[in-house]
Amino acid sequence: MIANRFSDYKNDEEKIIFASGVSNSKDTIEQNFLREFELLNTTIKNNPGKALVYFSTCSIEDEELQDTPYVIHKKVIEEFIKKNVLKYYLFRVSNLAGVSNNPYTLLNYFIFNILQNHPFTVWKNAYRNIIGIDDMYSIADYILHQNIFLNTTINIANPENYSVPFIINCIENHLQKKAICIEVEKGDNYHIDISAIEPIISQLNIQFNEDYLDSLLKKYYHSK
């Protein structure tokens, strides 16, 4: 999804977009993490004069996910970039909404299970942050074109977190189909600091209003 959206940077002479990382946050296969690291290392060596644009995850801020292989891997990658790349942009991104065949994205996972009548477990007290791929692109593109936040880690996310039961309810209303959920007393809410990009959100007039999640479902998942 990210690679497709940033395709206009393919021939950029100053920046290289790295969007070939592990796409499943539940992944535990060490070989997949190693493959990303090797590809990243090759990309850095092959583009010595370019600023590296790497997409990490806001899940690094989530205490519940600190010990997962995916988050540990992302932390290691971030530190590697800081120590070995002269010019870089580290974008920590929250859950993306957009057209994608990746079954592991948050919304795709929920939608697939609801449509297939598959029971799935829901962390009753969990919150998740969701941002549309086009809005994430607009913010990142602005940063890259203005040449700001070089060699900095920046969160790109929605100002608001949504409870998982609320997200599922919105999807149910969108699909007009009930989910088969097994709720468990797990999960937490965590703060994502987006103070650095708040002026950009205002400048771009991105509307993170009460209808934002519904608008994403209508925009990207109308054919589901």
Side-chain angles (χ1 to χ4, degrees), residues 138-139 142-143 148-149 196-206:
S138 295
I139 295 167
Y142 182 94
I143 291 170
I148 54 177
F149 303 134
I197 65 166
E198 283 175 347
I200 300 173
I201 292 172
S202 178
Q203 174 75 22
L204 297 174
N205 196 31
I206 299 174

Side-chain angles (χ1 to χ4, degrees), residues 127-167:
Y127 283 72
R128 292 292 178 262
N129 190 288
I130 300 173
I131 186 171
I133 181 66
D134 292 319
D135 293 327
M136 186 278 278
Y137 172 85
S138 295
I139 295 167
D141 184 59
Y142 182 94
I143 291 170
L144 296 175
H145 275 92
Q146 296 296 321
N147 291 310
I148 54 177
F149 303 134
L150 182 66
N151 296 348
T152 306
T153 303
I154 296 294
N155 293 329
I156 302 182
N158 187 327
E160 181 180 355
N161 292 345
Y162 305 111
S163 75
V164 170
F166 174 78
I167 295 169

Side-chain angles (χ1 to χ4, degrees), residues 88-137:
Y88 63 83
Y89 297 86
L90 282 176
F91 293 139
R92 287 182 179 173
V93 180
S94 64
N95 292 283
L96 289 173
V99 178
S100 170
N101 292 323
N102 180 359
Y104 303 112
T105 67
L106 182 74
L107 294 180
N108 278 1
Y109 174 80
F110 287 148
I111 288 172
F112 174 80
N113 281 294
I114 292 172
L115 288 175
Q116 297 298 317
N117 294 313
H118 289 172
F120 59 97
T121 301
V122 171
W123 288 16
K124 187 177 180 181
N125 305 315
Y127 283 72
R128 292 292 178 262
N129 190 288
I130 300 173
I131 186 171
I133 181 66
D134 292 319
D135 293 327
M136 186 278 278
Y137 172 85

Side-chain angles (χ1 to χ4, degrees), residues 13-17 47-54 85-89 144 150-151:
E13 296 182 355
E14 297 181 350
K15 301 174 182 71
I16 182 72
I17 304 292
N47 297 275
K50 294 185 179 182
L52 175 73
V53 182
Y54 182 80
V85 180
L86 187 63
K87 294 184 293 183
Y88 63 83
Y89 297 86
L144 296 175
L150 182 66
N151 296 348

